[in-house]
Amino acid sequence: MDNLVLAVAIIGVLGIGAQWLAWRFNFPAIVLMSIAGVLAGPVFNIFAAPGAGPGDPPMEALFGEFYRPIIAIAVAVILFEGGLQLNFSELRGLTRGVRRLVFPGVLIAWFLGAGATYLIAGLSWQVSLLFGGVMVVTGPTVIIPLLRQSKLNARPATLLKWEGIINDPIGALLAVVVYEFLVIGEHGSSSSDIISSLILAAILAAGAGYAFGKFTAIAFRRGWVPEYLKPPVLLALVLVCFELANLLQHEAGLLSVTAMGVTLANSRIASINDLRLFKENITVMLVSGVFIILTANLTMDSIRSLDWSSAMFLLAMLFVVRPLTVFIATIGSGLPWKERLLVGWIAPRGIVAVAVSSFFGASLVAEGYADGAQLIPLAFGMVFATVVLHGFTISPMAKALGLASRERPGVLIVGASPFSAALAAKLQDMEVPVTVADTSWRRLKPVRLANVPTYYGEILSEVTEHHVDLNRFGYLLALGGNEAHNALVATDLAPELGRAAIFQVNARGKDEEDRKALSYTLQGRTFLHSAAALDELMRRHYSGWVFQRTRLSEEYPPEQYKKDLNPEAEIVLVVRKGTLIFASPEAKVTPEIGDVVLAYIPKPPEVKPEKAKENGKKDADEKDKPAVDKESQKSKLV
């Protein structure tokens, strides 16, 4: 291919397409990206540059001298975004566990990995030491999507996230250390000189990252940068920080940008969430594109070089090196055995491992170490094996160990009132996990009386992050009386839950217009198809309206249900194959056979006791059921 723009477009379609398919079918995204890259590169060779030989890496030939800078910049931004998610407040009770996984965990993993590479994969001891350092990394590009997918409890999720983000630059620096010894040591430099220069470079790189982070925080807090320029200014500063550190020592920029991200994450900047969202969007694009580039750069010769010894090496890394590393490193850390077992299994490798292996593999071959060419296929084999196995096993394993919720995605209701209390109680009767949050203990009283779980406090507070596990919830209903607060809740939690899963009660009627109303861009979806205001919902509640659930079947189809339903009633939601579908003007609900429908209906007409006795009906049942004709008696009320 000689059209670079077309190649970039294809890379974007493949990468983002793989991400979308992963979201749609709940697969690990990196698995689909790996498959897409292998198909586009070694299999169909659609990126082959004119004049390139069959054994030439296609992407290097296509991008030429820009290949390595593209990968380097992408890895820098990815590591910075990972550091931006590391808030020290998450480490309450886990400081010792995280510290043990970093030290001595890194050193244990390094030497065990190097031993497995030397004894099983058959590489020279020099190349094995370098590759052992590379294999220390796990990385945010794969850990964070897996945590989001598996909905792990907070403690093991924090352990895996911190280990993955911190160990990435450390693993790269270990590879630099070995490379310096192999290359510079041959030119007469002493070991003490090499070690002292590397330590000094690492300290300066970390200090530069800290200084850049502090400067950025001060500039943003004091208003030196306007809001619309903050994201591009931050991106430019990240790249400057990365390159300055690299001038001090090769690959030290990875440590520097990680330190910059951690510094910013703990600097209490008002716009930090907006910056995180911007960086996350960029990171998704970079991860998608770069992983396609790296996998498509493989050749059939490199894939064929993976033999039985390579397979045995992968098995040893998965089932011996990683579990043994975590077991030894966490002795006396106070971590429960279940968490140690899960962490000992989950260690997927990602882009940083592949990028560092690609660079040093080629450099070692140029320095005369022929087996350095094996680093790239071994790294890809490790990445593919870990993301497939860990991606498909983390959820069932976490649930089996009791470290993830077994419940279906629940509903978080923000704003307590008699109406929301009645709705929450009905959802709980339907075995849907539900919690009601409010800042008023008095407003929470009807919810507590209904034996529904509550959270007393401000849902937007930083403290709430440590008391409410948002991973348990798949849906949010903002049903408070303050429209501005409802919109703020919807906007703040949209990146966490997705705006399509957030519903907000209308502060006014559907037909009312107000030029001073909040912009729709700040709100979630409107709750209920009628868009009834909270005052109207409260009026209905005090008028005796009740919630009715009905299971539709072939004997009682949707057509008959709609015919029997009171014209004033409206459907709140349907439960379809375990998924909740809420009614909204933006998404009309159409009940189907097999659904459980929850409707909000007017107060059923009273039935005289004599009549109820003649029909063999229980008066208690009639309180929660509408009056229907004989045909509607076929409805199975659950």
Side-chain angles (χ1 to χ4, degrees), residues 226-391:
E227 290 297 321
Y228 76 96
L229 278 181
K230 283 182 178 180
V233 166
L234 181 59
L235 180 60
L237 288 174
V238 168
L239 297 180
V240 171
C241 178
F242 174 70
E243 188 53 32
L244 283 179
N246 276 343
L247 293 176
L248 294 174
Q249 177 63 57
H250 188 69
E251 299 298 331
L254 301 180
L255 177 62
S256 191
V257 294
T258 304
M260 181 180 175
V262 174
T263 303
L264 269 179
N266 294 274
S267 296
R268 300 182 65 84
I269 302 175
S271 55
I272 189 67
N273 287 335
D274 294 335
L275 296 175
R276 281 197 186 107
L277 183 59
F278 172 76
K279 287 298 179 187
E280 184 176 354
N281 292 337
I282 290 181
T283 300
V284 169
M285 296 180 65
L286 291 176
V287 168
S288 304
V290 170
F291 209 83
I292 295 295
I293 292 174
L294 290 172
T295 49
N297 196 48
L298 288 171
T299 62
M300 292 305 298
D301 291 339
S302 61
I303 294 176
R304 293 191 193 100
S305 67
L306 294 173
D307 52 16
W308 283 108
S309 63
S310 302
M312 295 302 296
F313 163 75
L314 297 178
L315 292 175
M317 293 293 291
L318 287 167
F319 295 101
V320 178
V321 173
R322 174 62 179 182
L324 194 57
T325 297
V326 173
F327 175 77
I328 296 174
T330 56
I331 292 176
S333 64
L335 295 177
W337 70 268
K338 291 183 178 180
E339 293 181 2
R340 295 172 71 190
L341 182 61
L342 180 68
V343 174
W345 169 242
I346 302 301
R349 273 62 169 188
I351 283 180
V352 175
V354 174
V356 174
S357 297
S358 299
F359 173 81
F360 284 113
S363 299
L364 286 173
V365 171
E367 293 294 332
Y369 295 92
D371 53 348
Q374 283 293 103
L375 295 190
I376 300 174
L378 280 177
F380 270 105
M382 193 68 187
V383 168
F384 196 78
T386 54
V387 297
V388 170
L389 291 175
H390 298 162

Side-chain angles (χ1 to χ4, degrees), residues 495-628:
E496 192 79 27
L497 299 173
R499 197 171 290 274
I502 297 177
F503 297 84
Q504 177 179 343
V505 72
N506 200 352
R508 302 163 181 79
K510 183 177 180 180
D511 299 326
E512 294 183 44
E513 293 184 2
D514 189 346
R515 294 182 179 179
K516 296 181 180 180
L518 291 172
S519 169
Y520 72 92
T521 60
L522 301 176
Q523 305 180 39
R525 289 184 172 186
T526 305
F527 181 62
L528 297 180
H529 186 259
S530 66
L534 182 61
D535 290 344
E536 170 62 18
L537 295 177
M538 293 296 294
R539 184 196 66 77
R540 294 178 184 178
H541 174 80
Y542 288 118
S543 298
W545 283 47
V546 295
F547 290 98
Q548 175 209 47
R549 55 179 176 174
T550 306
R551 183 181 297 278
L552 304 183
S553 63
E554 302 227 352
E555 292 77 20
Y556 191 63
E559 297 76 19
Q560 185 62 45
Y561 172 74
K562 292 178 182 178
K563 191 177 186 182
D564 295 336
L565 193 65
N566 190 306
E568 295 182 23
E570 64 178 313
I571 294 174
V572 178
L573 63 90
V574 300
V575 183
R576 182 174 299 157
K577 297 179 180 179
T579 302
L580 305 184
I581 304 175
F582 285 88
S584 172
E586 296 89 349
K588 188 175 181 180
V589 172
T590 304
E592 300 175 0
I593 292 176
D595 290 347
V596 175
V597 185
L598 180 65
Y600 197 39
I601 64 174
K603 181 180 180 180
E606 295 184 2
V607 180
K608 294 182 179 181
E610 296 82 3
K611 187 69 174 176
K613 187 176 181 180
E614 290 175 7
N615 295 334
K617 297 179 180 178
K618 292 183 179 179
D619 191 47
D621 290 339
E622 287 299 308
K623 291 180 181 179
D624 294 326
K625 297 180 182 179
V628 296

Side-chain angles (χ1 to χ4, degrees), residues 16-29 32:
I16 300 301
Q19 292 271 11
W20 183 85
L21 288 173
W23 165 80
R24 182 67 180 82
F25 298 103
N26 199 28
F27 285 163
L32 297 183

Side-chain angles (χ1 to χ4, degrees), residues 97-116:
V98 172
R99 188 172 63 245
R100 292 287 186 85
L101 289 175
V102 176
F103 182 83
V106 166
L107 294 179
I108 297 171
W110 182 20
F111 289 113
L112 289 178

